[in-house]
Amino acid sequence: MKSSLATPAKSTALLHRLAEAGRKPVGFVLNGRALTALAGDTVLTAVLTHGAQLRFSEFSGEPRAGFCLMGACQDCWVATESGQRLRACGTFIEEGMRLVTGAEGPV
């Protein structure tokens, strides 16, 4: 199973920006691909403006979007390339972040 994050396309993004003005672009890397978010975006927002899911569940293998938005679920965990785990719903994107989501599919 291939994720939309493996080959991103704007039409597969779960979140779509309607109107933005005055926020600085922030460059980050997701699963080896250079992308851009906006200053003030959470990691969750940054990822879902480029794809349809955040990651795959390690339990069921199903795609997850991490939308509880209160830190109670386990669906929004992503990692940095160095292995640090982050909650995508509560972590702000930073310039140069290098993230991996496991979105290549279940092993």
Side-chain angles (χ1 to χ4, degrees), residues 90 97 100:
M97 268 186 161
V100 291

Side-chain angles (χ1 to χ4, degrees), residues 3 5 13 20 24 39-40 44 69 74 78 80 86 93-94 104:
S3 154
L5 290 178
E20 289 291 334
K24 178 183 170 193
L44 179 87
L69 300 178
Q74 300 293 312
V78 296
T80 63
L86 306 170
I93 196 74
E94 294 178 11
E104 63 278 356

Side-chain angles (χ1 to χ4, degrees), residues 57-82:
S57 168
E58 63 272 23
F59 303 108
S60 67
E62 295 295 316
R64 309 306 294 174
F67 272 118
C68 87
L69 300 178
M70 59 185 203
C73 73
Q74 300 293 312
D75 286 347
C76 73
W77 287 107
V78 296
T80 63
E81 285 182 351
S82 65

Side-chain angles (χ1 to χ4, degrees), residues 32-46:
R33 182 177 171 102
L35 299 171
T36 304
L38 296 177
D41 283 353
T42 62
V43 169
L44 179 87
T45 300

